[in-house]
Structures are given as structure tokens and as C-alpha cells.
Amino acid sequence: MEKDDITARLESLKGWSLSDDGRAITRRFDFKGFAKAVEMANLAAWLGNRHNHHPDVAFGWGYCQVSFTTHDAGGLTDADFACAAHLDALLS
């Protein structure tokens, strides 16, 4: 995916940012406590299974960070942006 296309798509996703190497998009969700962070991690995992496009998820007390990339393509594809948008929609 070309950098201009990535930049344009990121503008439509609130809170998502491009990784330093340009191969993933990431969003950090902040919470009060551990349980909500675990629920967010589970939601991201459920979404990944549903779409057969699995994110990298890191979580701990008060946060959950979700990253999408297409490992087979070595970077970003339409599927990454679609899953990020879908995750945002589930939270709204």
C-alpha cells in the first residue's frame, strides 16, 4: 500500500497511528483498571477470529494496545483498515 493511501485512510480512523516502520496501524485504549483492558483484548481477539485477520494485542492494568498488519503481505492492506474501522464501530 502506498504511503499517500495509508495517510488518507488513517485520517478516517480516530486514534490510530502508523508504526515507525510503516507496516502496521496501532491504537492504544486506556481504561480505569484491569478488567476493561482484558475485555478490550478479548473483543479484538473475537474480531480477529470473525474476520480471519488477527491483530497483535498487548494489555495490562489500564490499557490495551491493538495493532493490525498483514503479515503475509509484509505490511498494510485493505483488511487492516477494515478491521480497525470495525473495531471502532463496535465501541461506538
Side-chain angles (χ1 to χ4, degrees):
M1 191 172 270
E2 298 295 323
K3 185 155 179 107
D4 290 342
D5 192 26
I6 292 168
T7 301
R9 289 172 182 242
L10 273 176
E11 289 177 8
S12 68
L13 294 173
K14 181 184 174 192
W16 291 87
S17 61
L18 186 63
S19 65
D20 290 340
D21 64 6
R23 294 181 178 185
I25 54 173
T26 300
R27 182 171 175 189
R28 180 183 167 111
F29 300 88
D30 293 311
F31 304 98
K32 293 182 180 177
F34 185 71
K36 292 289 184 186
V38 172
E39 290 173 6
M40 183 67 210
N42 286 332
L43 180 62
W46 173 84
L47 178 69
N49 280 333
R50 182 160 172 96
H51 290 272
N52 197 29
H53 193 71
H54 304 96
D56 293 324
V57 179
F59 66 96
W61 193 96
Y63 79 95
C64 180
Q65 183 170 303
V66 179
S67 298
F68 284 103
T69 188
T70 303
H71 298 283
D72 292 347
L76 293 164
T77 65
D78 292 334
D80 301 303
F81 290 94
C83 284
H86 194 174
L87 185 59
D88 287 347
L90 290 171
L91 297 171
S92 63

